[in-house]
Amino acid sequence: MSLLFLLAFKALPPPPAEQVKTYYTQHLTQLQTALTHFQAVVDKADEAALRTEFIACRAAYKPLEFAIEYYYPGTAQRLNGAALPEAEPSEPEQVQLPGGLQALEEMVYAEPTEPGRRDYLRQELDNMLYQVRYLEGQLPALIPTDSEVLDALRLNLYRLASKGISGFDTPTVGTALPEAAITLQATGEVLASYDAPAPLLAQLRRCVAAVQAPGPTAAGFEHFDRMAFFTRAFNPFLTSLKVWQMQRGIALVGGRRAIRPGAATFFEADAFDPAFFAPADAAAPTPAVLALGAALFAEPALSGRAGRSCQSCHLPEKAYADGLKVNSSLLDGRSLARNTPTLLNAALQPALFYDSRVHFLEDQVHEVVSNRAEMGGQLSAVAVALRRKGYGPQFARAFADEKAPLTERNLRRALAAYVRTLGGLNSRFDRHLRGDTLAMNKQEIQGFNLFMGKAKCGTCHYAPLFSGAVGPLYEQAESEVLGVPATADTLHPTLDPDQGKYLLHGIAHQRYAFKTPTVRNAAHTAPYMHNGVYQTLAEVVDFYDRGGGQGLGFAVPTQTLSPDRLHLTPAEKAALIAFIGALNDEPGTKAVGYR
């Protein structure tokens, strides 16, 4: 073997995935260094220095986020999870306090006289260093593949789009845009390991330039044109990234998730997969199943003698809500406790009901039909009634492979399959993001930028579903404590007594917590909030602008909504409402569906 051959052999670079692991290892060391330095100066640093050290730690974490979130999501939660307590329903009193960068942020920016503040900072930094040491211990077992690396990058870019640029994890420090630049630059460094072509990297640099243009200030954050970023830079880059990956022959990661692995962006018409949110035994949406489901949706026999159908409270002409503050109960003329939500895009929810008590539409059907106050039916008796009414042939066509198809189970499956066809993510907003740049006007675009920026709506209503389903995986639904009033009287307000999710498991911090609903189609689904207290979107926007319940003067210690005023101008409020109007699904276009 010649010396020349040996020299050439030694000069070959390591495989791209191995280079990425080296990159990850180096940045993990940098994160450890930043955390260690912060911990060393906690006791002697002045306020400005504390904040500088904190910002440096956040900047050191962002280049690692794509990999830690992908391979070690539990550790990612401990390093940069939401600053909210958690508890399991089986152990409601065992509350896990928040930790990581977001919890640090609250204390770094707290009043200097806060008792035990610096002790807390030192201890939390120690906890984070423990997590970093755990990651270092996992390095020998970490063997990333090319497919995984690109999948992790794409998911992290969805994370940036759905949470990062809204300021979700930087509510006080205000470094969302500089951190977005770090995330995008880190993406470029990883892609350089794969010798990504110059045009692709140039597109990525345009993304970086876009988030850097407004400047690293609060004013820059508020004036950042997120719509232009998505349409002119971000979406084109993601589309080119997928094309290059296919050309390079790097396979997509398989498996089912909310966003189809083959989607170029999560704004595509068919990007979200309703099957991800359905149980394993969900009925296939065949024409026969959907026809049966539609018939059952309007069938009063489901409520026995009460004569109420699903359609009695979910009216198609009212966006599958009912237009009432709360509907009437079947019990002694009372009212139901909570407002009727829309069923549009219910297929894309990881949890259902205001208290998130079930996960699948099939289970929601069971709960509603058998609820004495809502429909008052008994599924076993309903099956008998449907047989008497001649539904046997329809069930037989829908479930032709079963010997006895008219069952309670199939009733639930057919109804759920039908509800999964309602909606479609086909609003003017969606058309605009897909290239029809005349679909929205300037006021609506301003409203979107406010929604994702100054108004902070996007930190709870995550794009592009604009619900509490948390991106980029959308497998969990967040609940929030807003402090909703009992009436719309702002002069003498009183807190609504409904304790929400707390009633399920008795978890203290879930008192008055309710699932964050989608604002898609909200222009058609008044009144609003879990109790229907507000008749107009203007009232809703004003409630948030005031700082929620605490802003109204309520004692709601568990409120998750910031009590600080948003200081929205009348024109900004009008723009927000205009944007919400652009989220109405348009009839006659392709609905959400299965492949």
Side-chain angles (χ1 to χ4, degrees):
M1 187 177 295
S2 70
L3 178 61
L4 183 62
F5 178 83
L6 287 173
L7 290 174
F9 180 78
K10 289 181 179 180
L12 289 176
E18 189 176 322
Q19 294 181 50
V20 173
K21 181 176 179 179
T22 300
Y23 164 91
Y24 169 79
T25 304
Q26 292 170 345
H27 279 279
L28 194 60
T29 300
Q30 292 174 20
L31 176 60
Q32 184 179 49
T33 300
L35 293 170
T36 302
H37 190 270
F38 189 8
Q39 188 181 49
V41 303
V42 160
D43 290 327
K44 56 187 178 183
D46 60 20
E47 293 304 308
L50 282 179
R51 295 177 182 184
T52 298
E53 292 288 337
F54 171 71
I55 291 171
C57 290
R58 286 203 59 86
Y61 175 74
K62 283 296 171 175
L64 294 158
E65 188 170 34
F66 80 100
I68 297 177
E69 286 278 3
Y70 194 81
Y71 290 105
Y72 311 104
T75 303
Q77 177 68 20
R78 296 303 302 158
L79 289 174
N80 192 37
L84 297 171
E86 295 182 355
E88 293 295 328
S90 58
E91 297 179 312
E93 296 180 358
Q94 299 298 314
V95 178
Q96 180 179 333
L97 297 176
L101 290 165
Q102 294 186 53
L104 276 179
E105 178 179 4
E106 290 190 353
M107 197 58 74
V108 166
Y109 286 84
E111 291 296 325
T113 56
E114 180 78 20
R117 176 169 172 255
R118 299 204 181 219
D119 289 339
Y120 173 86
L121 292 174
R122 193 185 315 105
Q123 180 60 52
E124 188 52 42
L125 287 164
D126 199 50
N127 292 339
M128 294 181 69
L129 284 166
Y130 172 82
Q131 299 296 328
V132 172
R133 288 192 294 272
Y134 166 78
L135 293 174
E136 289 176 332
Q138 297 300 307
L139 284 172
L142 178 61
I143 307 175
T145 67
D146 295 338
S147 293
E148 290 171 349
V149 169
L150 294 185
D151 194 44
L153 286 179
R154 182 172 292 276
L155 285 175
N156 202 45
L157 292 170
Y158 290 151
R159 181 176 294 105
L160 169 71
S162 63
K163 297 167 72 175
I165 63 171
S166 70
F168 169 82
D169 56 353
T170 54
T172 305
V173 65
T175 53
L177 298 187
E179 290 185 15
I182 293 172
T183 295
L184 293 165
Q185 288 164 342
T187 301
E189 292 181 46
V190 172
L191 290 177
S193 300
Y194 289 86
D195 294 323
L200 180 64
L201 296 178
Q203 284 184 299
L204 184 54
R205 286 194 294 273
R206 282 195 285 275
C207 293
V208 175
V211 298
Q212 288 177 332
T217 65
F221 175 82
E222 291 185 4
H223 290 95
F224 176 45
D225 190 340
R226 291 159 176 83
M227 182 64 80
F229 170 71
F230 283 135
T231 56
R232 299 175 190 172
F234 188 77
N235 284 351
F237 166 71
L238 280 179
T239 301
S240 296
L241 178 63
K242 182 191 173 185
V243 170
W244 169 75
Q245 181 177 350
M246 296 298 95
Q247 292 173 342
R248 181 71 185 262
I250 300 176
L252 299 170
V253 169
R256 176 161 284 168
R257 62 167 64 127
I259 304 172
R260 301 183 199 272
T265 81
F266 66 4
F267 293 114
E268 284 186 354
D270 203 26
F272 282 85
D273 183 3
F276 172 79
F277 301 92
D281 69 339
T286 63
V289 167
L290 297 181
L292 173 60
L296 293 173
F297 191 79
E299 177 53 67
L302 268 63
S303 63
R305 297 181 180 178
R308 178 177 282 182
S309 69
C310 305
Q311 193 167 290
S312 298
C313 298
H314 297 282
L315 286 70
E317 65 271 20
K318 293 188 179 293
Y320 291 90
D322 58 16
L324 303 174
K325 181 177 180 180
V326 290
N327 213 308
S328 59
S329 167
L330 296 178
L331 301 176
D332 303 325
R334 306 172 194 169
S335 295
L336 294 174
R338 295 169 185 166
N339 176 259
T340 302
T342 178
L343 292 181
L344 294 177
N345 301 313
L348 304 178
Q349 295 187 40
L352 301 158
F353 294 109
Y354 282 108
D355 53 17
S356 303
R357 65 182 179 270
V358 303
H359 294 287
F360 301 123
L361 284 166
E362 286 80 358
D363 296 325
Q364 185 180 42
V365 169
H366 181 275
E367 287 255 342
V368 173
V369 170
S370 61
N371 187 298
R372 293 176 60 211
E374 292 191 47
M375 291 190 73
Q378 295 181 353
L379 285 171
S380 57
V382 168
V384 173
L386 293 176
R387 189 172 292 108
R388 289 173 179 168
K389 293 191 72 171
Y391 272 85
Q394 283 184 266
F395 273 87
R397 287 192 294 271
F399 303 99
D401 58 340
E402 299 184 22
K403 292 182 178 179
L406 205 167
T407 63
E408 302 169 32
R409 173 174 175 266
N410 286 341
L411 183 157
R412 295 194 300 269
R413 295 170 75 209
L415 266 172
Y418 169 70
V419 172
R420 288 191 180 100
T421 68
L422 303 179
L425 307 187
N426 53 35
S427 67
R428 287 189 294 110
F429 166 82
D430 298 299
R431 283 171 35 211
H432 192 98
L433 267 292
R434 292 166 194 162
D436 181 1
T437 54
L438 298 179
M440 293 173 66
N441 62 37
K442 289 182 179 180
Q443 185 188 41
E444 292 163 343
I445 292 171
Q446 180 196 12
F448 170 71
N449 286 326
L450 286 163
F451 190 97
M452 296 292 288
K454 178 183 177 180
K456 301 182 180 180
C457 312
T459 61
C460 295
H461 297 273
Y462 304 107
L465 299 181
F466 298 110
S467 70
V470 185
L473 297 178
Y474 301 94
E475 59 189 8
Q476 295 180 333
E478 280 195 353
S479 297
E480 301 288 344
V481 179
L482 304 177
V484 175
T487 71
D489 181 1
T490 57
L491 296 178
H492 306 92
T494 55
L495 181 66
D496 187 86
D498 190 336
Q499 298 187 65
K501 202 170 181 177
Y502 173 80
L503 299 175
L504 287 183
H505 308 295
I507 297 174
H509 63 265
Q510 293 179 348
R511 196 182 300 272
Y512 305 117
F514 295 90
K515 186 186 73 171
T516 301
T518 182
V519 294
R520 284 179 174 271
N521 300 294
H524 292 323
T525 59
Y528 305 103
M529 317 308 275
H530 70 271
N531 57 357
V533 65
Y534 293 130
Q535 292 294 320
T536 68
L537 285 171
E539 291 176 297
V540 176
V541 171
D542 184 66
F543 170 74
Y544 284 108
D545 187 45
R546 289 169 175 262
Q550 289 186 13
L552 292 173
F554 300 153
V556 191
T558 57
Q559 181 170 310
T560 54
L561 176 70
S562 171
D564 298 331
R565 284 184 173 269
L566 295 171
H567 301 291
L568 298 172
T569 67
E572 288 172 335
K573 292 179 180 180
L576 272 174
I577 294 169
F579 163 63
I580 292 172
L583 288 174
N584 295 332
D585 280 325
E586 298 192 330
T589 52
K590 183 179 181 295
V592 170
Y594 297 81
R595 280 182 175 173

